[in-house]
Amino acid sequence: MADRDDYKREEDEEADEEVENDYKSQNDAIILAIDVSDTMLEQPPASTSRKADKDSAVQAALKCAYQLMQQRIIASPKDMMGILFFGTEKSKFQEHSGRSGLGYPHCYLHTDLDIPAAEDVKALKALVEDEEDEEGVLIPSSTEKVQMANVFFCANQIFTTKAANYSSRRLFILTDNDSPHPSDKAAKSAAAVRAKDLYDLGVNIELFPITRGDNEFDLAKFYDDIIYRDASAEANHSEVRCSKTADGLSLLNSLISNINSKQVAKRALFSSVPLEIAPGLRISIKGYNILHRQEPARSCYVWLEGEKPQIVAGETTRISEDTARTVEKSETKKAYKFGGEYIYFSPEDQKRAKDFGPPIIRIIGFKTRAQIPFWASVKKSTFIFPSEEDFVGSTRVFSALWQKLLKSNKVAIAWCIIRANATPVLSAIIPSHESTEESNATPFLPAGLWLCPLPFADDLRGGPATDGTEPPRASNELVDQMRVIVQQLQLPKAMYNPMRYPNPGLQWHYKILQALALEEEVPEVPEDLTLPKHKAINKRSGGYLQDWAETLQEETQKTAKTTKTKREADDDADDVKPAKKAKASSTKPSASGMTDAQVRAAASAGSLTKMVVADLKDLLAMKGLSISGKKADLVERLEQWAEETS
């Protein structure tokens, strides 16, 4: 098993060598910059409503950060996260850098940018639950306001030193101040320059403005010069949404909703692959894995003998079985077994065998949507989206293709090679509806085109063998009764929304890990939102279920009686037929295969008269006797032979 895994890993490495991938790691790094000011620390007005806000904006932001950190540990265990307070009286930077608090006044780095550890979660939890703030971290500056240029420069230094090779780096700003420098043009200009430096570094700035009551957040005062909108990047097409209290929605829930909508970075499965709609007509697209099964992070070995626990890094070494000598990779060749022999391949031969041309998605025809059955999906689908990087105007052509497929209720059949050295596959390009359309059964998925891999003839397998009997069918009455039950038990909007049901096994796994890591009490019962609500089910369809069960029992009894009667009739028929055969064989013995002893026994028993003339003549011919005469003569001649030979 290990050899097979190593072999597969080597094949993947060789394939990756052919692709000019970005050297950066496909991970995400986020810094939450939280404004600490008097207005952000102000408690909401007292209210008797159960849904009213009870937290200040800073407290809501901290709770949101705590929940976000827990989510990222589960969903993205390799992503980094940091928390930076700005506008504080105290100043703190990376302690090992030697410039703690000197270069960035009123900027307090509470959690350095790194993969969240148990200590980070504990420290953030203590800050969330400790409303008195014993360390004085959440005390706003009383002497001077923080310079936003320093905030951006501080974030720049953190990203440069801690996440230099991360492809996705983002700065989340949570504030209620739409004009940090209302009368200082130099400070505004310096902040814009530092923000531009961040964008040049590849860092995206996301703003999460906070408002209360009827107040509005005016982006034009300051943040229009800070938040860039790149027309070629589809990740920036979303608007800036304010977090506020409205319609019973607390500030915390509003913040969590807005941040969750942007916490997952768009990571392309493939990019700049040409989509050939017709000869000479190509556009460039990107592919995304929208649906991916989330599993617990793989366990690892830890070395505990040193001063600090360290993760063990595994290495693979090939050793000769005969001499125990280390075998280098250059000394080995790859082979495929064909029959009883091994066929050896050189690296050049193997590359030529895998080369089906450059990456491309080529449309070769169209079919109606009904001609693609649900079972034809052999792998998960890939969401594709236009890109203007290689072909200007790709978005317009892509949109026209999507709208035409939707309007005509058709799908495109495409020949796909999504990366170099990849095996070609046939895929159906299926359009999805807008999330706002009422006819859309999957509003939680984006609108666009999906690549759905189709099976080849080699992928088809035979079904289970059947004995040819028809299975019992439900009556129309049973079907009608069950239809009512199904209608009573439909999910909201008659569809399954995965956003409502977290994986109970995955959540329980990380609940236990979190409790052990944070030295908390281990929960006893997992939270499972997929469990049936028995009381509601009984209330809505209990009577219908009882009626259906009674009808089913009556029909089952009728079917059992019918089956029993038929079985008894078949058994009687089976019993009669062998009796007739036995009687025929005893009354009319056949001449074929009769031995001399059997002929003598038949003659002494007088049963030769029951044989037909043809059989008697056969017996006489085998004995070398005359076969002429009537039946009585033939029988007499055989009986005489039996007496003479006895």
Side-chain angles (χ1 to χ4, degrees):
M1 185 69 182
D3 295 340
R4 191 188 313 165
D5 293 341
D6 294 340
Y7 180 71
K8 185 177 180 181
R9 193 183 306 116
E10 288 178 4
E11 281 194 337
D12 294 340
E13 290 175 358
E14 289 185 358
D16 292 339
E17 289 176 0
E18 300 297 324
V19 185
E20 295 182 359
N21 284 335
D22 195 347
Y23 71 93
K24 295 183 178 180
S25 171
Q26 293 296 317
N27 291 323
D28 190 27
I30 292 179
I31 295 179
L32 263 70
I34 302 175
D35 185 9
V36 179
S37 61
D38 293 330
T39 55
M40 288 284 287
L41 290 169
E42 183 181 350
Q43 292 294 329
S47 175
T48 57
S49 175
R50 295 173 57 186
K51 297 182 179 180
D53 276 331
K54 298 180 181 179
D55 301 318
S56 65
V58 169
Q59 201 69 15
L62 288 174
K63 290 182 179 180
C64 178
Y66 179 64
Q67 183 171 335
L68 178 62
M69 183 176 289
Q70 289 179 311
Q71 290 176 354
R72 294 182 75 80
I73 290 175
I74 297 175
S76 307
K78 294 184 179 180
D79 289 353
M80 290 185 177
M81 181 176 172
I83 298 176
L84 173 67
F85 298 123
F86 63 93
T88 58
E89 184 70 30
K90 289 186 175 182
S91 301
K92 177 186 174 184
F93 190 57
Q94 297 166 336
E95 296 179 354
H96 58 80
S97 65
R99 52 183 302 177
S100 176
L102 298 178
Y104 314 107
H106 309 298
C107 294
Y108 191 94
L109 184 60
H110 180 268
T111 304
D112 200 0
L113 184 63
D114 204 344
I115 297 175
E119 292 77 9
D120 301 328
V121 181
K122 286 182 181 179
L124 184 56
K125 183 181 180 182
L127 191 60
V128 169
E129 296 179 351
D130 185 11
E131 298 182 358
E132 297 181 358
D133 186 20
E134 296 179 356
E135 297 183 1
V137 175
L138 302 178
I139 297 178
S141 173
S142 58
T143 56
E144 59 179 348
K145 292 185 177 181
V146 63
Q147 297 289 320
M148 293 303 296
N150 288 338
V151 176
F152 296 141
F153 191 38
C154 178
N156 191 322
Q157 292 297 312
I158 297 172
F159 281 121
T160 303
T161 57
K162 303 293 290 188
N165 292 334
Y166 273 46
S167 62
S168 174
R169 293 176 288 182
R170 295 178 292 168
L171 175 64
F172 288 1
I173 301 177
L174 288 77
T175 181
D176 64 348
N177 188 2
D178 57 2
S179 181
H181 309 296
S183 58
D184 192 344
K185 292 184 178 180
K188 291 177 64 175
S189 177
V193 171
R194 292 301 183 187
K196 182 64 167 57
D197 292 341
L198 279 175
Y199 279 102
D200 292 341
L201 190 65
V203 178
N204 289 329
I205 300 177
E206 300 282 357
L207 177 65
F208 296 92
I210 298 174
T211 60
R212 288 188 185 274
D214 298 331
N215 298 332
E216 293 184 358
F217 197 98
D218 190 358
L219 295 175
K221 292 182 179 179
F222 177 76
Y223 283 99
D224 272 347
D225 297 330
I226 303 300
I227 309 299
Y228 281 69
R229 288 289 175 264
D230 187 1
S232 64
E234 67 272 9
N236 290 335
H237 286 174
S238 57
E239 61 180 355
V240 177
R241 292 184 294 179
C242 292
S243 300
K244 60 189 300 183
T245 303
D247 301 328
L249 180 68
S250 67
L251 177 61
L252 174 61
N253 292 334
S254 180
L255 264 178
I256 291 175
S257 175
N258 291 343
I259 289 183
N260 282 345
S261 65
K262 295 186 178 182
Q263 69 157 312
V264 180
K266 291 182 172 66
R267 300 170 184 173
L269 179 65
F270 56 84
S271 59
S272 300
V273 173
L275 171 62
E276 185 176 278
I277 302 175
L281 177 59
R282 291 186 177 185
I283 62 175
S284 58
I285 60 172
K286 292 183 178 182
Y288 299 90
N289 266 343
I290 302 297
L291 300 174
H292 183 73
R293 179 177 176 81
Q294 187 68 37
E295 297 179 351
R298 187 172 57 181
S299 59
C300 56
Y301 294 100
V302 179
W303 183 60
L304 300 175
E305 298 298 328
E307 297 179 358
K308 184 179 180 181
Q310 297 180 10
I311 297 178
V312 177
E315 294 183 356
T316 302
T317 304
R318 293 177 175 84
I319 299 177
S320 174
E321 185 177 1
D322 300 333
T323 62
R325 182 180 64 87
T326 301
V327 179
E328 301 296 334
K329 184 177 180 181
S330 58
E331 301 180 60
T332 61
K333 286 186 177 181
K334 290 187 177 180
Y336 292 91
K337 193 171 184 180
F338 184 79
E341 299 180 357
Y342 286 95
I343 310 300
Y344 297 95
F345 277 79
S346 65
E348 293 76 15
D349 294 336
Q350 197 168 13
K351 288 181 180 179
R352 284 198 298 269
K354 292 182 178 180
D355 186 13
F356 287 90
I360 191 172
I361 299 175
R362 180 181 292 114
I363 294 179
I364 58 178
F366 298 89
K367 288 185 176 293
T368 59
R369 193 159 187 165
Q371 290 181 288
I372 307 297
F374 72 92
W375 52 261
S377 179
V378 292
K379 294 181 180 178
K380 62 183 179 183
S381 301
T382 302
F383 181 72
I384 57 177
F385 204 81
S387 172
E388 300 284 333
E389 294 179 1
D390 294 339
F391 299 97
V392 178
S394 296
T395 303
R396 288 186 176 183
V397 178
F398 185 92
S399 177
L401 175 64
W402 169 65
Q403 293 179 25
K404 178 59 179 175
L405 291 177
L406 275 179
K407 184 178 180 181
S408 302
N409 196 25
K410 290 185 178 294
V411 299
I413 306 299
W415 168 268
C416 303
I417 304 176
I418 61 174
R419 62 178 176 85
N421 296 333
T423 304
V425 295
L426 282 177
S427 298
I429 301 180
I430 303 177
S432 59
H433 292 268
E434 286 279 5
S435 58
T436 55
E437 295 181 13
E438 295 182 358
S439 59
N440 186 12
T442 54
F444 45 84
L445 295 178
L449 298 178
W450 295 76
L451 278 180
C452 178
L454 299 176
F456 289 105
D458 312 82
D459 302 326
L460 300 178
R461 298 289 185 269
T466 58
D467 55 1
T469 59
E470 280 288 331
R473 301 285 181 180
S475 64
N476 293 334
E477 184 181 0
L478 268 179
V479 174
D480 293 339
Q481 289 181 347
M482 180 53 69
R483 183 179 292 109
V484 176
I485 295 173
V486 172
Q487 291 173 351
Q488 291 293 321
L489 298 180
Q490 279 187 348
L491 292 170
K493 297 184 180 180
M495 69 175 182
Y496 169 74
N497 187 353
M499 303 297 292
R500 294 174 174 266
Y501 306 100
N503 186 340
L506 188 69
Q507 298 295 326
W508 179 242
H509 172 81
Y510 281 102
K511 280 276 187 183
I512 299 296
L513 286 185
Q514 177 180 328
L516 295 176
L518 303 182
E519 299 177 355
E520 298 175 346
E521 185 178 353
V522 178
E524 297 180 357
V525 181
E527 182 181 3
D528 188 357
L529 298 181
T530 64
L531 289 176
K533 299 179 180 179
H534 300 287
K535 291 184 179 180
I537 292 174
N538 185 55
K539 182 179 180 181
R540 300 188 64 175
S541 60
Y544 299 114
L545 284 169
Q546 188 173 359
D547 295 341
W548 181 84
E550 293 175 357
T551 306
L552 176 63
Q553 187 175 5
E554 293 175 1
E555 293 197 4
T556 303
Q557 292 175 354
K558 292 179 182 179
T559 305
K561 288 181 180 179
T562 305
T563 306
K564 182 179 180 181
T565 304
K566 184 178 179 181
R567 189 184 299 113
E568 290 176 352
D570 293 341
D571 292 343
D572 293 342
D574 293 340
D575 293 340
V576 171
K577 289 179 180 178
K580 289 182 179 179
K581 290 181 180 178
K583 184 177 180 181
S585 61
S586 61
T587 56
K588 295 182 179 180
S590 175
S592 59
M594 289 184 68
T595 62
D596 292 347
Q598 290 175 339
V599 174
R600 295 188 191 97
S604 61
S607 59
L608 290 176
T609 56
K610 299 178 182 180
M611 297 179 66
V612 296
V613 175
D615 291 339
L616 292 173
K617 288 183 177 181
D618 290 339
L619 286 175
L620 289 170
M622 287 189 293
K623 310 304 179 188
L625 302 175
S626 174
I627 58 174
S628 61
K630 296 182 179 180
K631 182 178 180 179
D633 298 332
L634 301 177
V635 171
E636 183 179 0
R637 201 172 293 141
L638 277 174
E639 289 177 349
Q640 184 178 359
W641 172 86
E643 289 177 0
E644 291 175 354
T645 57
S646 59

